């Protein structure tokens, strides 16, 4: 069945028991200015979508059995970034030992440099940069589009951990 309407992902809402802590984390990550619509509902508007953060009390009036903060164990929020290593290092400098690192910047087999971390509530967050020509082409055909063009690199430039300091992985964890 074909529909004439278009569906676009506009936002994702994360439910938490500690709105200020989670907003601060995503503010540092995205650089977006938090828009406090209420004391327990905040939006961070990025160039491609909006990340909303709210307390479980904000959604409790909708229905019984509402979402609980910190209960996500089935999704990864993925952020296209200009420089995975720089964003990862900025987060490490800001949050120190509190930054839960699952996978430091690692070259994925499909050509993205990816770092996998957890936000303060334990939700998985992937920071990725397409670095090979194939990965850049794949991202170019998706939304969001890269904010700036990154120069393509040859596969030999990212395979050797001694040449670049970048780990390689064959595990299909993330984009």
């Amino acid at each position: 069945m074909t529909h004439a309407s278009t569906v676009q992902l506009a936002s994702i809402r994360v439910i938490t028991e500690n709105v200020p802590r989670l907003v601060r984390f995503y503010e540092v990550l995205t650089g977006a200015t938090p828009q406090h619509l209420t004391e327990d509902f905040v939006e961070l508007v990025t160039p491609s979508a909006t990340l909303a953060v709210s307390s479980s009390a904000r959604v409790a009036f909708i229905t019984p059995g509402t979402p609980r903060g910190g209960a996500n164990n089935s999704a990864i929020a993925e952020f296209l970034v200009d420089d995975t290593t720089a964003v990862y290092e900025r987060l490490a400098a800001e949050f120190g030992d509190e930054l839960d690192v699952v996978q430091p910047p690692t070259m994925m087999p499909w050509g993205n440099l990816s770092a996998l971390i957890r936000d303060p509530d334990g939700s998985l967050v992937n920071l990725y940069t397409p670095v090979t020509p194939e990965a850049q082409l794949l991202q170019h055909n998706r939304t969001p589009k890269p904010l700036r063009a990154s120069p393509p690199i040859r596969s030999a430039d990212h395979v050797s951990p001694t040449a670049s300091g970048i780990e390689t992985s064959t595990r299909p964890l993330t984009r």
Side-chain angles (χ1 to χ4, degrees), residues 54-115:
S54 71
S55 71
S56 54
R58 174 61 44 200
V59 293
F61 66 90
I62 298 172
T63 183
T66 57
R68 297 181 334 272
N72 176 22
N73 203 15
S74 64
I76 301 173
E78 298 196 312
F79 291 87
L80 172 64
V81 298
D82 284 342
D83 184 338
T84 298
T85 302
V87 173
Y88 173 81
E89 289 173 353
R90 186 176 76 234
L91 291 169
E94 179 73 25
F95 298 107
D97 291 339
E98 292 183 22
L99 183 64
D100 186 352
V101 178
V102 176
Q103 170 185 285
T106 301
M107 183 59 67
M108 304 311 292
W110 45 90
N112 286 344
L113 182 61
S114 171

Side-chain angles (χ1 to χ4, degrees), residues 23-46:
V23 167
R24 177 70 183 138
F25 174 83
Y26 284 107
E27 177 184 16
V28 171
L29 171 59
T30 65
T33 301
Q35 306 295 315
H36 294 265
L37 304 179
T38 66
E39 70 179 33
D40 62 351
F41 186 86
V42 180
E43 292 183 337
L44 294 118
V45 179
T46 74

Side-chain angles (χ1 to χ4, degrees), residues 9 14 18 44 79 83 112 121 128 148:
L9 178 62
V14 180
N18 190 332
L44 294 118
F79 291 87
D83 184 338
N112 286 344
D121 279 359
Y128 76 97
R148 67 175 174 85

